[in-house]
Amino acid sequence: MEILTPFLLLAGLGILLGLAIGLVAKRFEVPQDPKFTQIRESLPGANCGGCGYAGCDAYAKAVLEGKAPLTSCVVGGEPVSRTIAGIMGVEQDTFEKKVAFVMCSGDTSHAQDKMRYDGVQHCLEASMVPGSGPKSCPYGCVGFGTCVTACKFDAIHVENRLAHVDEDKCVGCGACAAVCPKNIIKIIPKSMKVRVQCSGQDRGRDVRLVCEAGCLGCTLCVRTCPEKAIYMEGNVARIDPSKCVACGACIAKCPAKVIHMVGAESETAAD
Amino acid sequence: MNLLIILISSMLVNNFVLSRFLGICPFLGVSKRTDTAMGMGLAVIFVITISSAFTYMIYTFLLVPLHVEYLYNIAFILVIAALVQMLEMVIQKVSPTLYSALGVYLPLITTNCAVLGVAVLNMQEGYNLIESVVNGFAASAGFALGITLFAGVRERIADNRILRAMEGFPIAMISAGLMAIAFFGFKGLI
């Protein structure tokens, strides 16, 4: 009896309360917009935050309220945005796939180490040692793979102390760009074929001293470009994707071979 | 008169956070901004006031007649958790405004020690139903007062330059301690 009473009491109480909760849930059910459920289900559910909202739920809510563009989901890409557009009953906005791009060419064969670094194998820690990190170039990729850890899609990897993006896997969520202490990862449209793979702000001669693959800031490409699509950002050339026609004139002229065309050619250029 | 004494004593003199050290987690966790602190305080008032009535009834009409008073901890937690769940659903339906004002704080405080603490204290002091409810309301109002004031203090701290090593939790702990000393001054009230 001494055991049975408390057992029955608590079990009964639990069952009773459970039933009560169930009843209340049925009775006071708040009907949700069926569109919300549909949108939420069509989203990938990675909760990566690449759309700029706290998660897939928040994005679905914002879409429903008309506050978010239908094309924000970077994971789902075009198919998902088309599905959402179908649910919302509107024409789909044009979708542009974005990818992350590492603006550095300084792998171990091009940029030497200026010190032996035995500290924490983490980009942020390493970039805070005097001299801005172990690599000779203070602007370049530190190469400890903080971006690799940040990536939820296994799309970025470090080879020869330089991060490379696998553009087939990359969804352009920007997680890697946010953690890079050097700020050399940029989210760009995938359609942008010709890219300057350097972020160094040093002058020509200083660049030569630290990296064999760095932009010298000679502005030769700026003068060569027939479309006037190249401009200087400090001492490094940048290409305006809206003007670039991928003619390749700059690639031929560049003395440092730091401008690459994405595709088969970039593989050979990297070697 | 008795009720007035309970009210003042629970709200100020024996303030839940600063004197009894119950509910410290939300006190430090959601006190970065005044508006969220007020939301939390509101939710706590709501839950504690109602749960002190229910736990009183559970204790008096269920545990005492069956001579299983020692089960109070489990029974109270069970009842409070279920109650908050149901309350949340009802509020969502009946008053969406209140629901969005209380927000995530309502389910968060389901298992807060302050909620259980009030129920247990009511029982130990032998309060009747009205006294229990008044005590619950006063204690939670004291919590709301404390957390709102504390959030104000922390907002001011955030705008100031403080020692690097003291940023964040260390300075929050020290401010909380100083606030507790200030509340100690209410001891002379009763």
Side-chain angles (χ1 to χ4, degrees):
Chain A
M1 222 27 211
E2 268 171 25
I3 295 178
L4 211 60
T5 316
F7 173 75
L8 285 179
L9 175 73
L10 282 183
L13 208 59
I15 292 169
L16 216 68
L17 288 170
L19 282 177
I21 289 182
L23 279 178
V24 170
K26 260 270 174 289
R27 183 81 209 286
F28 290 90
E29 196 182 6
V30 177
Q32 254 182 349
D33 196 329
K35 275 185 183 171
F36 174 82
T37 333
Q38 279 179 325
I39 295 174
R40 181 61 191 80
E41 275 167 8
S42 67
L43 292 173
N47 285 318
C48 64
C51 52
Y53 291 87
C56 292
D57 277 345
Y59 176 60
K61 198 158 171 251
V63 167
L64 202 62
E65 287 164 2
K67 285 182 193 157
L70 305 181
T71 51
S72 292
C73 181
V74 288
V75 182
E78 204 171 347
V80 164
S81 80
R82 207 176 293 138
T83 320
I84 299 176
I87 297 166
M88 295 295 286
V90 288
E91 285 290 305
Q92 175 211 1
D93 308 357
T94 46
F95 191 88
E96 190 161 43
K97 187 167 162 40
K98 298 211 161 145
V99 290
F101 173 60
V102 183
M103 299 184 291
C104 178
S105 315
D107 56 9
T108 35
S109 59
H110 293 112
Q112 261 48 83
D113 275 356
K114 61 172 169 271
M115 63 175 99
R116 209 185 108 196
Y117 176 76
D118 283 331
V120 183
Q121 304 283 303
H122 186 277
C123 295
L124 183 59
E125 308 278 344
S127 68
M128 282 198 291
V129 302
S132 306
K135 267 225 187 114
S136 50
C137 172
Y139 300 97
C141 178
V142 189
F144 287 123
T146 299
C147 47
V148 178
T149 327
C151 183
K152 286 184 186 169
F153 304 97
D154 190 36
I156 192 162
H157 297 284
V158 172
E159 286 162 38
N160 295 328
R161 301 270 311 282
L162 175 64
H164 292 282
V165 176
D166 181 344
E167 295 196 0
D168 292 328
K169 287 185 186 166
C170 180
V171 298
C173 68
C176 51
V179 295
C180 179
K182 299 288 188 188
N183 267 327
I184 56 166
I185 306 181
K186 207 171 174 184
I187 304 301
I188 57 166
K190 199 184 178 182
S191 56
M192 183 176 171
K193 290 283 174 233
V194 184
R195 304 166 186 179
V196 182
Q197 207 172 338
C198 181
S199 310
Q201 290 291 349
D202 281 341
R203 285 174 174 274
R205 195 144 48 96
D206 302 329
V207 174
R208 270 273 177 262
L209 288 175
V210 295
C211 181
E212 291 167 24
C215 173
L216 305 169
C218 65
T219 70
L220 202 59
C221 49
V222 178
R223 281 172 276 148
T224 306
C225 184
E227 303 292 326
K228 305 248 176 294
I230 308 181
Y231 59 98
M232 297 303 289
E233 195 178 86
N235 258 326
V236 64
R238 287 282 172 259
I239 299 173
D240 184 347
S242 60
K243 291 184 189 158
C244 177
V245 293
C247 65
C250 50
I251 301 172
K253 280 277 181 186
C254 180
K257 301 277 171 260
V258 73
I259 308 181
H260 299 305
M261 177 89 79
V262 179
E265 234 175 299
S266 69
E267 301 300 322
T268 48
D271 290 336
Chain B
M1 195 56 208
N2 194 17
L3 290 181
L4 191 69
I5 288 177
I6 291 176
L7 195 74
I8 292 175
S9 125
S10 289
M11 193 146 79
L12 299 173
V13 182
N14 293 318
N15 188 288
F16 249 64
V17 189
L18 299 167
S19 167
R20 290 197 209 263
F21 306 113
L22 288 169
I24 296 290
C25 169
F27 184 69
L28 291 173
V30 275
S31 58
K32 286 219 176 80
R33 281 170 47 213
T34 329
D35 48 345
T36 52
M38 274 162 86
M40 185 74 194
L42 209 68
V44 168
I45 293 181
F46 202 75
V47 169
I48 291 190
T49 310
I50 292 173
S51 73
S52 46
F54 272 81
T55 47
Y56 172 81
M57 288 194 268
I58 288 284
Y59 185 75
T60 326
F61 301 123
L62 214 59
L63 298 185
V64 174
L66 289 171
H67 304 292
V68 283
E69 289 93 337
Y70 59 89
L71 280 179
Y72 65 87
N73 265 335
I74 307 175
F76 284 179
I77 289 179
L78 198 66
V79 171
I80 292 168
L83 188 71
V84 174
Q85 276 292 315
M86 281 189 264
L87 262 180
E88 198 192 352
M89 288 185 266
V90 174
I91 293 173
Q92 193 179 6
K93 176 82 174 181
V94 177
S95 166
T97 333
L98 185 63
Y99 180 74
S100 60
L102 297 180
V104 291
Y105 304 116
L106 200 55
L108 263 184
I109 47 176
T110 320
T111 49
N112 192 278
C113 64
V115 186
L116 184 66
V118 173
V120 173
L121 278 173
N122 283 339
M123 182 201 78
Q124 285 171 348
E125 299 279 337
Y127 288 148
N128 64 27
L129 182 60
I130 295 170
E131 283 170 339
S132 293
V133 173
V134 170
N135 184 37
F137 172 76
S140 49
F143 175 88
L145 179 73
I147 196 171
T148 313
L149 291 177
F150 188 54
V153 171
R154 281 185 83 175
E155 272 184 355
R156 290 227 175 171
I157 291 172
D159 292 339
N160 281 301
R161 283 179 59 128
I162 49 167
L163 214 60
R164 189 82 181 276
M166 300 289 279
E167 272 173 13
F169 261 105
I171 193 78
M173 296 294 235
I174 291 174
S175 332
L178 289 174
M179 251 182 88
I181 294 175
F183 265 71
F184 196 67
F186 286 118
K187 276 273 189 280
L189 261 181
I190 293 177

